[in-house]
Amino acid sequence: MELPRIVSVDDHVIEPAHLFASWLPARLRDRGPRPVTTGIGELAYTGGKYVVTMDPDGPPADWWIYEDLAFPYKRNIAAVGFDRDDMTLDGITRQEMRPGCWDPAERLKDMDLNHVEASLCFPTFPRFCGQTFAEARDKEVALACVRAYNDWMVEEWCGDSGGRLIPLCLIPLWDIALAVAEIHRNAARGVRAVTFSEIPTHLGLPSIHSGHWDPFFAACQETDTVVNMHIGSSSQMPAASPDAPVAVQATLSFNNAMASLADFLFSGVLVRFPRLKLAYSEGQMGWIPYALERADDVWREHRAWGGVRDLIPEPPSAYYYRQVFCCFFRDKHGIASLDAVGRDNATFETDYPHVDSTFPHTKDVALDHVRGLDDETVHKLMRGNAIRMLGLDLDRPGR
């Protein structure tokens, strides 16, 4: 079969070393993030968190230094081009990375090699929803960093791509009024995607049940801005035993997405904002049918004592099918359950340049999943649902 060119809803960008020196206001640059190349020490992993130190005698890595934070780039987040056994947690410099990790022109070339027409990219140094800036002490600089990142994302990363690189922006998580203002500022220049935490309480922020985020959700609904929640945007990944190997964390990576979906389905947010669109990024989709079945069963059988009798007027799955998108790249169980997952809800990703990335074999991986499906469904999964979700004009006549 002929596979349509893919619109990937979850890829990643490694920030270029000049980002904040070029895009922060001049008066704030000496207080903002600065790039450094130096050695990295041994990485420790305990209870779902990494601890890393600088070591001038260690292997070189590119870092960002910001307030008390020392943030290194590691090989597993810039893994494309390395053999599978070399995709480690060792430090890496931009010179060692495939240039498509941080250079938009080179990224477009790699997309062409990978059967990808368009790509939505999550941040790395700011972390998946801007936690780096939310945790900073100096909020004047932190706000300027959020805006600088967004300006760079829109104007430099995406600006010359002819719409193939799709802007994904940050909000200042610590101030709801500023967050709303940033949604409107970016929507005015065509941005239709923002990244948000799957479980804000893990970041010390109010929950989605509190009403605190309602002005943000209202702004996203008003501007048709999709709320994208990446696994790990809670600053922690699910872990079992505290001394379990990282492979356990990787196996359970979808758990926070599942918890977040249950949170939203029973929060009333999707009732109050019926045109709000949520997107779960890198969570895969094979778990969704049972999660929806269980949510509907709880709604039918337990809603009185469960606290949602007067809050959720329809079965929770109705809100999922109406307003929520998932994505996959290796999930045959999800494909086998596609009618329950939702043929209009599923999108595709390549996860470039992370260790999970299907690059440069994405076409083969996708064909292995969709072979046997009808052409209309294949088009929806590979691009149509993403185009509709993000309001793209990639399929318009004459393009």
Side-chain angles (χ1 to χ4, degrees), residues 230-390:
H230 197 283
I231 58 168
S233 57
S234 305
S235 291
Q236 62 184 65
M237 296 289 278
S241 305
D243 56 348
V246 185
V248 173
Q249 176 200 52
T251 301
L252 296 175
S253 61
F254 69 93
N255 271 11
N256 279 352
M258 183 167 60
S260 176
L261 178 61
D263 231 12
F264 270 100
L265 292 180
F266 286 111
S267 67
V269 168
L270 301 179
V271 179
R272 295 192 297 277
F273 303 102
R275 292 182 291 104
L276 179 68
K277 290 184 286 189
L278 307 180
Y280 284 97
S281 308
E282 206 174 326
Q284 307 291 350
M285 62 185 190
W287 53 270
I288 289 175
Y290 177 69
L292 295 178
E293 179 184 346
R294 178 60 180 165
D296 283 357
D297 188 58
V298 167
W299 179 83
R300 280 191 306 269
E301 306 295 336
H302 309 293
R303 61 179 177 264
W305 72 267
V308 294
R309 181 186 59 196
D310 301 320
L311 185 63
I312 311 297
E314 298 180 63
S317 62
Y319 303 102
Y320 165 81
Y321 291 119
R322 186 177 74 187
Q323 296 175 247
V324 181
F325 294 84
C326 59
C327 69
F328 74 101
F329 54 100
R330 291 190 186 94
D331 191 345
K332 291 188 176 181
H333 185 70
I335 289 289
S337 308
L338 189 57
D339 285 330
V341 169
R343 292 179 185 236
D344 294 322
N345 302 80
T347 61
F348 195 77
E349 62 163 296
T350 80
D351 200 32
Y352 182 109
H354 281 189
V355 68
D356 253 336
S357 178
T358 53
F359 177 88
H361 308 296
T362 295
K363 185 176 182 179
D364 292 338
V365 172
L367 283 170
D368 189 41
H369 281 70
V370 304
R371 192 173 283 113
L373 296 176
D374 62 274
D375 289 347
E376 181 184 3
T377 297
V378 172
H379 185 273
K380 286 181 178 182
L381 298 181
M382 294 297 102
R383 61 186 288 120
N385 290 340
I387 288 170
R388 178 169 53 86
M389 178 181 85
L390 292 162

Side-chain angles (χ1 to χ4, degrees), residues 51-73:
V51 179
V52 65
T53 56
M54 284 185 172
D55 179 357
D57 297 323
D62 277 340
W63 301 68
W64 288 102
I65 307 302
Y66 176 49
E67 294 191 343
D68 297 331
L69 174 67
F71 180 97
Y73 289 122

Side-chain angles (χ1 to χ4, degrees), residues 23-52:
W23 291 94
L24 269 179
R27 67 183 181 82
L28 298 178
R29 287 175 191 165
D30 62 343
R31 291 153 57 194
R34 57 185 178 88
V36 171
T37 303
T38 190
I40 190 170
E42 290 190 12
L43 188 73
Y45 174 79
T46 306
K49 292 189 179 290
Y50 298 106
V51 179
V52 65

